[in-house]
Amino acid sequence: MNDAARDSDAQGTRYGPLGNSLVIIPTYNEVENITKIVTRVRAAVPAADILVADDNSPDGTGKVADELAAADEQVHVLHRKGKEGLGAAYLAGFAWGMEHGYGVLIEMDADGSHQPEELPRLLTALKNADLVLGSRWVPGGRVVNWPKYREFLSRGGSTYSRLFLGLAIRDVTGGFRAFRAETLRGLGLDKVTSQGYCFQVDLARRAVAAGYQVVEVPITFVEREYGDSKMNRDIAVEALWRVAGWGLSDRANRLRGRSIS
């Protein structure tokens, strides 16, 4: 943590100003959604910039994103070579944002499941935190238009991760998040190899292990209307075995008096 982030205010907090915000929106075949979500983000947080990280979508999402960027200087596009997974897209977005001096980097889906109108809530909470998680499973959080099996899988995934990793986080797998840039710098992102949705678990466990203040705020998660979900069997299997491996490794390290690597 740098000196500015350690400044104390009247409440005794150690956090400095947030700085400029960048909302990172990974895309792959989201041509039906990208214009709508960018428009809503710009309306909800007019001061924030947007980075669309497109994995060379064959449906033309990248081209539409370029058109949005050409019409609005606060919209940017990062064209990637191909579909490499959610984690790789966010890592590329984080690197771009930190290189360009943003103080806050926000993860957000392109499909409308994360409500841009709730971004101010995350940013307000980040004034006194290192990382803010938009949570479906804290009081006030909810899901809309989800079948019961999806809710069961999501709740079960968070419970499984909490138990294996010893995390006091209700929604470990959620992907609506706001980071301070200095928090990301302290997470060892160069060592992150997880992809899919276990990427979210990985960053959460690293933040807790590093001693960062992690806060959850309630959000409403709405099932996508257009396009296909990126969740599949391989992503779920990766999450299961990685979380189990991290949990066993953490326990072994604690027995040896060592911290997470």
Side-chain angles (χ1 to χ4, degrees):
M1 197 71 69
N2 60 30
D3 290 339
R6 295 183 184 279
D7 290 344
S8 297
D9 62 15
Q11 300 298 319
T13 57
R14 58 188 172 91
Y15 303 100
L18 293 176
N20 294 330
S21 298
L22 180 70
V23 180
I24 302 169
I25 304 176
T27 56
Y28 185 77
N29 287 350
E30 296 288 357
V31 70
E32 295 174 298
N33 295 312
I34 189 60
T35 299
K36 296 176 184 177
I37 202 67
V38 166
T39 301
R40 289 174 64 190
V41 171
R42 292 289 289 115
V45 281
D49 287 1
I50 297 171
L51 177 67
V52 178
D54 185 65
D55 277 7
N56 196 23
S57 299
D59 71 348
T61 301
K63 181 177 182 296
V64 174
D66 282 337
E67 293 169 354
L68 294 170
D72 187 342
E73 63 180 8
Q74 287 180 244
V75 179
H76 311 275
V77 185
L78 178 62
H79 291 282
R80 291 162 40 74
K81 293 182 179 179
K83 189 177 182 182
E84 298 177 349
L86 185 72
Y90 273 129
L91 289 175
F94 292 155
W96 189 96
M98 288 187 285
E99 287 171 5
H100 287 79
Y102 290 93
V104 175
L105 297 105
I106 299 165
E107 297 182 4
M108 185 174 180
D109 287 350
D111 60 14
S113 56
H114 299 148
Q115 305 304 293
E117 295 75 20
E118 295 181 321
L119 281 167
R121 181 184 303 164
L122 272 67
L123 292 172
T124 296
L126 193 62
K127 292 178 180 179
N128 294 307
D130 299 298
L131 165 60
V132 174
L133 311 180
S135 178
R136 297 159 290 186
W137 313 130
V138 296
R142 66 191 185 107
V143 296
V144 176
N145 296 332
W146 254 18
K148 285 297 182 183
Y149 81 90
R150 286 285 304 276
E151 183 172 343
F152 174 79
L153 287 174
S154 180
R155 285 185 181 272
S158 280
T159 300
Y160 174 82
S161 299
R162 286 202 314 273
L163 292 176
F164 258 101
L165 303 176
L167 301 176
I169 297 173
R170 302 300 301 176
D171 195 346
V172 187
T173 61
F176 196 13
R177 302 180 169 191
F179 296 83
R180 286 178 178 264
E182 56 263 33
T183 303
L184 287 170
R185 293 189 183 98
L187 296 186
L189 296 181
D190 58 320
K191 299 181 178 66
V192 173
T193 59
S194 49
Q195 294 297 324
Y197 290 89
C198 69
F199 173 79
Q200 309 296 6
V201 181
D202 195 357
L203 294 198
R205 77 181 184 102
R206 287 173 179 270
V208 171
Y212 288 117
Q213 176 74 7
V214 180
V215 173
E216 294 184 88
V217 298
I219 62 166
T220 297
F221 184 98
V222 180
E223 177 68 330
R224 67 159 65 230
E225 292 185 21
Y226 303 102
D228 298 319
S229 171
K230 306 305 186 292
M231 175 62 77
N232 57 43
R233 180 180 177 276
D234 290 341
I235 289 172
V237 169
E238 182 202 13
L240 288 172
W241 72 259
R242 280 193 181 272
V243 167
W246 291 330
L248 294 173
S249 177
D250 290 351
R251 285 174 172 78
N253 286 336
R254 283 196 293 271
L255 288 174
R256 292 195 294 265
R258 293 165 51 189
S259 63
I260 187 172
S261 63

